[in-house]
Amino acid sequence: MLSKHQDDIRHQMVAISMDDLVPEDHLVRKVDAVIDFDFIYSLVE
């Protein structure tokens, strides 16, 4: 039923990609392109 108030709106899930949140020209993308951060995985195991 459609109504003015949607009480269940808090229970809706939205899938958001982290990649979509960072603009294409952001500094983080430039740093990621030139630095290999794979060494971190073994350090935090």
Side-chain angles (χ1 to χ4, degrees):
M1 179 172 151
L2 296 176
S3 67
K4 290 182 181 179
H5 304 288
Q6 292 181 345
D7 295 331
D8 63 343
I9 197 165
R10 293 175 292 157
H11 302 292
Q12 294 178 355
M13 295 184 69
V14 177
I16 299 174
S17 168
M18 294 296 285
D19 201 42
D20 293 339
L21 297 175
V22 180
E24 291 296 325
D25 60 343
H26 197 276
L27 179 62
V28 170
R29 291 187 183 273
K30 295 175 185 175
V31 170
D32 186 50
V34 296
I35 298 177
D36 181 16
F37 288 103
D38 286 342
F39 69 93
I40 291 176
Y41 295 109
S42 63
L43 293 174
V44 297
E45 280 185 341

